Amino acid sequence: MLCMTFTFQVPFTWVFSSRFEATRRIRQMESQANEQMNGESMVEEGTARKVQWHIPILAMTADVIHATHDECLKSGMDGYVSKPFEEENLYQAVARFFDTKSTLKS
């Protein structure tokens, strides 16, 4: 049985000047959380497992400038959809965050 405790506190006084700053801060918190979780002994049935925590972040903006798209990815966002968008484009961007390989067992 795997037993793990993890404390994650978010200060509620954050004010971000941009979506890029917010994304960078979230990625920094993820990195710290992953380091804390992986620093503990994570052994299940004799096999060590490395935990990787990741919050999907998808940018949605009316800004279609290529430099903005690049800055979104550079700051740590996982994807970018510009408005107005086609329903299929949004679906494809969001679908990447879900594991489609797993199957439901009856």
Side-chain angles (χ1 to χ4, degrees), residues 85-100:
F85 58 87
E86 297 291 325
E87 183 178 328
E88 182 63 24
N89 293 346
L90 179 60
Y91 175 80
Q92 288 177 357
V94 172
R96 293 179 339 142
F97 300 122
F98 296 96
D99 181 12
T100 58

Side-chain angles (χ1 to χ4, degrees), residues 36-51:
Q36 183 179 350
M37 287 188 296
N38 291 318
E40 298 175 8
S41 177
M42 304 263 324
V43 179
E44 183 177 328
E45 297 178 12
T47 305
R49 294 189 331 167
K50 191 169 188 167
V51 175

Side-chain angles (χ1 to χ4, degrees), residues 72-87:
C72 287
L73 299 179
K74 182 178 164 186
S75 70
M77 294 182 194
D78 298 297
Y80 178 95
V81 176
S82 59
K83 298 184 286 186
F85 58 87
E86 297 291 325
E87 183 178 328

Side-chain angles (χ1 to χ4, degrees), residues 30-78:
E30 283 177 344
S31 177
Q32 292 170 348
N34 288 329
E35 286 176 15
Q36 183 179 350
M37 287 188 296
N38 291 318
E40 298 175 8
S41 177
M42 304 263 324
V43 179
E44 183 177 328
E45 297 178 12
T47 305
R49 294 189 331 167
K50 191 169 188 167
V51 175
Q52 198 66 323
W53 186 49
H54 182 78
I55 298 172
I57 300 176
L58 179 65
M60 182 179 287
T61 179
D63 189 347
V64 294
I65 300 171
H66 189 69
T68 301
H69 176 261
D70 291 344
E71 184 66 24
C72 287
L73 299 179
K74 182 178 164 186
S75 70
M77 294 182 194
D78 298 297

